[in-house]
Amino acid sequence: MKNFYEKYKHAIPLIIYALIYCLWFAFLERTVTHPQTVIHVWIDDFIPFCEPFVIPYFLWFAYVSVAVLYCFFKNKREYCRTCVFLFTGMTVFLVISTLWPNGHHLRPQIMPRENIFTQMISHLYRADTPTNLWPSIHVYNSIGAHLAIIHNPKLAKNKAVYIGSFILCLSIILSTVFIKQHSVFDVLTAFVMAAVMYVIVYQADIVSVFQTYRSNAKQRIRHI
């Protein structure tokens, strides 16, 4: 048991944060029914409703999960960087949604067509209210998953994985506006937040800095 704990103890922050996030988000979904801020930009009106994009929208759940789990089992350093990137953005999203309840009126009142894709979107609309949207976590976490993949030394060398991840990431981002789940404003602000976090997590490498500081602190304590 001790060996198992030492090998997989880095799962604890992920489990704790997932619980906190789900409870917080569920609270927001239950309480934010009439958002004070309606998000809309002019370009939203020119983007057509395109129901097949519901497929990459749902693939987001598997995409992010697989990226995180692969790093968890194969590369602890990249796993830590991925978690810092994702958790920070998701927390910013929760704080914004709490302080500035927001939503949109972009969804079609009546589906323009009847097919399997519009049926899937109808189910999605019933399960997910058009509130708590800014910035788009679908967009932000897709960028985070792609960064986790391309910064993994082994995966980055695999062109099929590299290109496939990029295509899926781009498809998910486009899906958020084509199925009217998000405004372009949500997408753009998610890119801005991802750019800031990329500098902090990958260029400044804050995780390595913290790990070095912690290691030095432990050595100083042993010498006392």
Side-chain angles (χ1 to χ4, degrees), residues 19-45:
L19 179 61
I20 293 172
Y21 180 86
C22 289
L23 291 174
W24 194 342
F25 183 75
F27 169 77
L28 291 172
E29 283 287 280
R30 190 170 60 253
T31 56
V32 180
T33 55
H34 297 88
Q36 300 172 1
T37 303
V38 176
I39 297 175
H40 180 271
V41 291
W42 64 271
I43 197 173
D44 292 329
D45 300 328

Side-chain angles (χ1 to χ4, degrees), residues 39-212:
I39 297 175
H40 180 271
V41 291
W42 64 271
I43 197 173
D44 292 329
D45 300 328
F46 294 93
I47 297 176
F49 177 80
C50 191
E51 65 269 23
F53 273 93
V54 71
I55 299 300
Y57 187 87
F58 278 124
L59 285 176
W60 174 83
F61 296 95
Y63 180 51
V64 176
S65 299
V66 169
V68 172
L69 289 175
Y70 183 89
C71 292
F72 175 83
F73 288 108
K74 298 295 185 178
N75 192 317
K76 186 176 178 180
R77 180 172 177 269
E78 291 305 320
Y79 164 78
C80 291
R81 295 208 294 185
T82 301
C83 284
V84 170
F85 186 96
L86 298 181
F87 293 176
T88 303
M90 292 163 73
T91 302
V92 170
F93 159 76
L94 290 172
V95 171
I96 290 175
S97 297
T98 302
L99 298 180
W100 295 282
N102 57 84
H104 70 59
H105 302 313
L106 300 174
R107 292 178 174 181
Q109 295 297 319
I110 300 175
M111 288 296 169
R113 292 165 291 279
E114 180 64 29
N115 53 50
I116 184 62
F117 302 122
T118 55
Q119 291 175 12
M120 292 171 66
I121 293 173
S122 294
H123 287 300
L124 173 64
Y125 284 178
R126 285 193 290 271
D128 187 14
T129 64
T131 58
N132 310 314
L133 307 165
W134 170 47
S136 170
I137 289 302
H138 246 70
V139 172
Y140 179 84
N141 280 7
S142 295
I143 296 172
H146 184 60
L147 289 174
I149 290 170
I150 66 175
H151 280 86
N152 185 286
K154 184 176 181 180
L155 295 180
K157 294 178 182 178
N158 189 319
K159 288 186 177 180
V161 172
Y162 189 104
I163 296 173
S165 175
F166 176 77
I167 293 173
L168 181 55
C169 178
L170 180 61
S171 299
I172 293 171
I173 291 170
L174 292 175
S175 76
T176 63
V177 293
F178 278 124
I179 67 169
K180 302 301 178 179
Q181 277 291 89
H182 284 281
S183 164
V184 170
F185 180 77
D186 305 327
V187 174
L188 294 178
T189 50
F191 267 95
V192 171
M193 186 165 68
V196 172
M197 288 307 301
Y198 174 78
V199 172
I200 295 173
V201 175
Y202 289 98
Q203 292 193 339
D205 202 0
I206 190 173
V207 172
S208 295
V209 172
F210 173 76
Q211 289 176 339
T212 300

